Structures are given as structure tokens and as C-alpha cells.
Amino acid sequence: MAKITVKTPIVEIDGDEMTRVMWQMVKDQLLLPYLDMKLEYYDLGVTHRDQTDDKITVDAAQAIKKHRVGVKCATITPDADRVTEFSLKKAWPSPNGTIRSILDGTVFRKPIIANNLRPAVWRWQKPIVIGRHAYGDIYKARELAIPGPGKAEIVFTPAGGGEPLRVTIHDFKGPGVVMGQHNIDQSIRSFARACIAYAVSEKIELWFGAKDTISKIYHARFKDIFAEETSRRAKDLQAAGVRYRYMLIDDAVAQIMKHEGGVLWACRNYDGDVFSDMVASGFGSLGMMTSVLVSPEGEFEFEAAHGTVKRHFCEHQKGNFTSTNPVATIFAWTGALRKRGELDNTPDVMRFADRVERATLGCIEAGVITKDLFHLLATPVAKWETTEGFMNCVAQRLKESM
Ligand code: NAP
Ligand code: MG
């Protein structure tokens, strides 16, 4: 059988630990046998980032800007322990954070639903998509350890001259900590626009939550911009049957637990980080959560929402079997391929992506699953598969469908 040609390059961003192992399996077993594709490869494994002083991460982001479609493996964000473990020059910043701020994108996370898996929250019958604002707040904050008594202030010095604006944060009587956060109207606005566009195209309700009762300037700015943008697009929202709801963030959290789903929940950066993990585990497993970063210019980076699954990798390194779920990694690739096919106008590439997804869900729905899904099955099965066992099932089903 002739291979399917993917016309334009896809930016391939490799990563770390167990996800790097699964990355190779997905390519070798599901993609390379069927596709003739040009991959522009960037190795963001932690030691290679260290060798290049993290330049490779910036290069990868620039490549996504150029080719418009990328797919990324999970990567280690080094903390002090990781610096020691890999003898790194320093604790390099989160690659996802770096790529997000270069693309000024919004991250949408959507659970993959198989019809024989019961979500932990039984009310959730349809996907809850989390739209995470991907710029600023604590991810771009500057922090200071306060050594002792003294006054901490926020000072704004206008570029064009004039009186600085200042506000006292705290009069310290002893040691403590301070943090300065920022965001910019333009980024909040492109976030709101990306969320409206997603909600309109998927025809799902749009929620936004913040804490403007406490943060009457910072959080209130987000609320106001969302109000402006949703009223600007009121006709489109109405035509698509999309309702916009603003809620206090704690109310949104309470409401989501008793909602059936089919919602895009637009979240501020930190809320999106936290609640995407909550929603992922509520739906079953982090291994079933996909993620796409969308820039205002229409550049896309697909990935699994979970990390490098270090605990499983340690077992793998000892030569023990693992049962790690590769589904989100598979769907990162299919998402990238489908988007590439859409942009290149190559329906056969899009059809191939559908086939891979059907083969994957077909295994789960036939009761072939990794351990993380064992207790979620509506009809129990006798055993779960190893990582390799599950991959072999998908590869076999895909082969039969070609
Ligand atoms: P993690 O890799 O997401 O794993 C946390 C736990 O979730 C695992 O130990 C496992 O639970 C379960 N899990 C996650 N993905 C799974 C899968 N595909 N199949 C089965 N179980 C899965 O988070 P972490 O352990 O906190 O972080 C590890 C490293 O990943 C860190 O260095 C962090 O910086 C990095 N990270 C990267 C990204 C990214 O690049 N997008 C995102 C988050 C974290 P059990 O152990 O109970 O089986
Ligand atoms: Mg998180």
C-alpha cells in the first residue's frame, strides 16, 4: 500500500521520561508505517535543553510560528531536585511556559471520552473543555524575599515622563515575601476572542470565572474585557446558540461539579493549570486528556495534558513492565495530523487521523485498557494490559482498518 503524503512539515518536539518512550512507540507503530511525512525535529529532552542553554525551546516555538502545526511530548520542568538529578546548569523555565508566551496562545484541554468509561463525577456526560489563558499572572511574576522590616511598594513609572503611580503593598515588621504579577489588555482580549471562537465553532456554552469581588482592579479587568468581547460577538453567539455566563470562580467550581458537561470553561492562567488536572482526573485519567495551544494568528501545538509520568519511567528503567496510558499522546499526534490536513487541504491525512483515533477507542471499548482505566470500566474485565500490550492492540486494529 502506498504511503499517505503529508505535504507540509509538522514540528515534532520530543521530551522526557515515560512520554519519550511512548512517543517513539506511537511513531514507529502507528505513523511511520503509513505516512510519508516531513518532521522538523526539536529535542527538548532536559539534557539537550541544558546543552543549548534552552535555545532549542525558543527555536521550537519559532518553528511552530513558521509551519503553523506542532506536536509536543511532555517535558520535565526542572526544580532543585531535577537540577541535581541531571547535573543541570540551572533550573531552566517550563518549556510550555516559554512556548506559550512566544505564541501568545490559549490552551484548550478536552477529555477523550470512550463510551464504556464512567467518569468519577457521574454527572459529567459530555466533555468539559478548559480554555486556559496562557500569558502572565504568577507564571510571569517577579518575587522577592523580604529580609526584615521595611516597606514594599508597587511603582509604575510612565514611559513618557510624569508622576509615577505607587501603592504600598505592605509595611513589613519582619521577614516575609512579596510577588508582583501583571497581565496586558491585548493578551486578555485575544484570550477572550479565542474562547468565543472555540465556543461558537463547537456550539458549546462559554463560562468565565474570576474573583472580582476581592480583586476589584486585576480580576475585574478580565471580567470587563470578557463582557466587551462577548457583547461585540453577541449576534454570533446567539446564532450558534451559545450562552455566555460570568461567575465568581468559587461558584463556577461548585456549578461544574453538578453540570452534565458540553461546556467551554475559560480559566485564568493558574485556574486553568489547576482545574484542567481536576477535570482530567474527574473524567477518568490524565492519560485521556488532550491539549492544544492556539495562537491568535492560527498556529497550533498539540500535546497530552499530563507530564512525563516519572514514577512509571523509574519502573521502566529498572526493566519492570509498565502500564502507562498512551492515548493522550496518540491523540496529540492525530490532532496535529488532522489540523495539518485541514490547512494543507489533504482529506486523506484527515481520514488517517480519524482511523487512528477509531482504532484507539476501539481497543478501549473492547475492554483492552491500561491500568489507569481499570476501575472506570462500566463492564469490568479480567485484566489490564501493559503499555506495549495496549500499543500492540491499537497497531493491530489500525492495520486491519487500512
Ligand atoms: P504526571 O507526569 O502527569 O504524572 C502524575 C501521575 O498521574 C502519574 O504518576 C500517574 O499516576 C498518573 N498519570 C499521568 N499520566 C498518565 C498516563 N499517561 N497513564 C497512566 N497514568 C498517568 O505528573 P508529575 O509526576 O507531577 O510530573 C512529572 C514530570 O512531568 C515533572 O518533571 C513535571 O515538570 C513534568 N510535567 C510536564 C508537563 C508537560 O510537559 N506538559 C505537564 C505536567 C508535568 P500513578 O503514579 O498513580 O500511576
Ligand atoms: Mg497542571
Side-chain angles (χ1 to χ4, degrees), residues 16-17 46 75-88 90 308-310 313:
D16 290 300
E17 299 190 317
V46 71
T75 45
I76 290 168
T77 298
D79 55 13
D81 292 344
R82 297 295 209 165
V83 170
T84 315
E85 183 183 350
F86 296 100
S87 309
L88 304 176
K90 60 180 244 192
T308 62
V309 212
K310 178 186 167 130
F313 184 63

Side-chain angles (χ1 to χ4, degrees), residues 17 19 22 72-78 82 96 100 109 285-288 303-312 323-328 370 372:
E17 299 190 317
T19 40
M22 296 195 293
K72 180 180 171 291
C73 177
T75 45
I76 290 168
T77 298
R82 297 295 209 165
N96 285 31
R100 270 180 218 140
R109 290 185 175 185
S285 167
L286 271 173
M288 297 291 282
E303 63 168 338
H306 58 77
T308 62
V309 212
K310 178 186 167 130
R311 196 185 67 76
H312 297 207
S323 182
T324 317
N325 189 340
V327 171
T370 45
D372 55 311

Side-chain angles (χ1 to χ4, degrees), residues 78-129:
D79 55 13
D81 292 344
R82 297 295 209 165
V83 170
T84 315
E85 183 183 350
F86 296 100
S87 309
L88 304 176
K89 293 175 200 159
K90 60 180 244 192
W92 300 105
S94 151
N96 285 31
T98 302
I99 297 170
R100 270 180 218 140
S101 57
I102 292 174
L103 295 181
D104 179 27
T106 298
V107 178
F108 294 98
R109 290 185 175 185
K110 183 179 178 181
I112 301 155
I113 292 183
N115 56 32
N116 59 336
L117 297 180
R118 282 179 314 189
V121 180
W122 64 269
R123 297 288 285 268
W124 293 353
Q125 298 301 326
K126 299 178 199 164
I128 294 167
V129 181

Side-chain angles (χ1 to χ4, degrees), residues 53-353:
D53 290 338
D54 210 24
K55 187 175 168 298
I56 190 74
T57 307
V58 176
D59 292 347
Q62 300 296 356
I64 296 174
K65 276 189 164 300
K66 180 171 172 206
H67 298 296
R68 295 181 63 191
V69 181
V71 56
K72 180 180 171 291
C73 177
T75 45
I76 290 168
T77 298
D79 55 13
D81 292 344
R82 297 295 209 165
V83 170
T84 315
E85 183 183 350
F86 296 100
S87 309
L88 304 176
K89 293 175 200 159
K90 60 180 244 192
W92 300 105
S94 151
N96 285 31
T98 302
I99 297 170
R100 270 180 218 140
S101 57
I102 292 174
L103 295 181
D104 179 27
T106 298
V107 178
F108 294 98
R109 290 185 175 185
K110 183 179 178 181
I112 301 155
I113 292 183
N115 56 32
N116 59 336
L117 297 180
R118 282 179 314 189
V121 180
W122 64 269
R123 297 288 285 268
W124 293 353
Q125 298 301 326
K126 299 178 199 164
I128 294 167
V129 181
I130 301 270
R132 175 178 173 186
H133 185 213
Y135 178 83
D137 303 346
I138 62 162
Y139 304 87
K140 283 271 171 202
R142 302 308 302 267
E143 307 181 318
L144 206 57
I146 301 295
K151 183 163 76 166
E153 291 180 292
I154 299 177
V155 182
F156 171 73
T157 313
E163 271 304 293
L165 303 174
R166 46 190 350 128
V167 59
T168 301
I169 299 173
H170 192 64
D171 264 316
F172 282 91
K173 306 284 181 269
V177 283
V178 284
M179 179 194 278
Q181 297 189 26
H182 82 281
N183 222 300
I184 48 184
D185 287 5
Q186 191 205 340
S187 174
I188 302 168
R189 204 170 292 284
S190 27
F191 169 56
R193 287 180 181 173
C195 292
I196 293 166
Y198 190 98
V200 166
S201 84
E202 303 274 314
K203 296 187 168 45
I204 52 175
E205 202 167 277
L206 172 61
W207 293 14
F208 177 62
K211 194 75 179 179
D212 66 298
T213 45
I214 300 296
S215 171
K216 292 182 163 57
I217 296 176
Y218 199 112
H219 283 220
R221 181 65 62 87
F222 282 79
K223 180 186 178 184
D224 292 346
I225 290 176
F226 264 79
E228 284 163 27
E229 291 299 322
T230 46
S231 60
R232 210 175 56 82
R233 297 279 313 266
K235 274 199 187 125
D236 305 318
L237 288 163
Q238 201 182 7
V242 174
R243 182 161 72 126
Y244 169 66
R245 292 176 72 186
Y246 174 78
M247 282 171 271
L248 283 176
I249 188 65
D250 29 4
D251 185 29
V253 171
Q255 296 290 332
I256 206 74
M257 301 309 288
K258 38 187 188 171
H259 201 272
E260 63 165 0
V263 176
L264 167 59
W265 184 9
C267 288
R268 299 176 62 254
N269 207 348
Y270 177 80
D271 298 340
D273 187 346
V274 176
F275 296 134
S276 59
D277 288 349
M278 181 193 81
V279 167
S281 68
F283 270 104
S285 167
L286 271 173
M288 297 291 282
M289 191 68 145
T290 57
S291 172
V292 56
L293 176 74
V294 184
S295 83
E297 280 77 36
E299 294 128 358
F300 298 83
E301 184 208 47
F302 295 84
E303 63 168 338
H306 58 77
T308 62
V309 212
K310 178 186 167 130
R311 196 185 67 76
H312 297 207
F313 184 63
C314 293
E315 295 304 315
H316 173 81
Q317 272 184 316
K318 286 184 224 152
N320 298 336
F321 72 83
T322 58
S323 182
T324 317
N325 189 340
V327 171
T329 300
I330 296 171
F331 275 61
W333 275 99
T334 53
L337 286 165
R338 186 178 295 105
K339 182 54 73 179
R340 186 76 279 169
E342 192 186 308
L343 296 176
D344 292 350
N345 197 14
T346 47
D348 51 342
V349 174
M350 296 168 75
R351 272 196 298 273
F352 177 75

